[in-house]
Amino acid sequence: IGEYANALMAPVTLADTASITLTEATHAGRLIIVPDVAQTTTITLPTPIAGMSMHFVGPLHAADADETEDTNNVVIAAGTGNSIYFKGRLTFNDIDGDANSIVGSDNNSNENITIITAGHYDITLVGISATIWMVSGYVSSDTVPTFTD
């Protein structure tokens, strides 16, 4: 049983591409490792199911040994037309100053989270219905992440 459970929970490292579509079968309930992307990357989520979870960490590594943050953005997209959206908040840790804050969704239509030049992030999403992803976690960067329609 242990080997089977471990196989189902093994981390998934995403490819460094501009567009990635996640699936329940491959990504749900697993740690999703996002690389130091070479371009703005949009990660599209599957339709949420109550209890389904996605856990993102990144970037995997900096491109250069002295680089403290990724130089490109990562967009986590819940859907289109505001029919699937995020509820919740992220803690923002400012890595080039002392401005820490909480950034939140409008809780009724924000379908994109944009992580801008991240130093590091750890974000958990949990489906709470067929149209809502609950979001929690933190982003360390010199730019505040955004929630948008």
Side-chain angles (χ1 to χ4, degrees):
I1 293 174
E3 289 177 15
Y4 179 71
N6 289 340
L8 289 175
M9 296 176 59
V12 177
T13 300
L14 299 181
D16 183 5
T17 61
S19 179
I20 301 166
T21 300
L22 304 186
T23 65
E24 177 187 6
T26 303
H27 302 95
R30 300 170 81 176
L31 180 65
I32 301 167
I33 301 168
V34 183
D36 182 14
V37 296
Q39 67 286 308
T40 293
T41 296
T42 299
I43 301 168
T44 303
L45 302 171
T47 299
I49 298 169
M52 182 188 343
S53 65
M54 303 276 175
H55 182 186
F56 297 90
V57 295
L60 177 59
H61 60 80
D64 300 312
D66 61 350
E67 187 177 342
T68 59
E69 61 188 343
D70 197 345
T71 55
N72 295 290
N73 301 339
V74 172
V75 179
I76 300 174
T80 59
N82 304 327
S83 60
I84 300 174
Y85 56 91
F86 295 108
K87 279 190 171 185
R89 293 184 163 79
L90 295 170
T91 300
F92 169 62
N93 302 308
D94 186 358
I95 61 175
D96 68 351
D98 59 3
N100 299 316
S101 61
I102 303 294
V103 179
S105 166
D106 66 3
N107 294 326
N108 65 20
S109 66
N110 288 159
E111 62 189 25
N112 297 308
I113 300 170
T114 302
I115 304 161
I116 304 166
T117 61
H120 179 68
Y121 50 91
D122 189 321
I123 298 173
T124 300
L125 305 173
V126 177
I128 58 174
S129 75
T131 59
I132 302 169
W133 284 103
M134 178 58 74
V135 59
S136 181
Y138 70 87
V139 174
S140 299
S141 176
D142 60 4
T143 306
V144 178
T146 61
F147 286 84
T148 59
D149 290 352

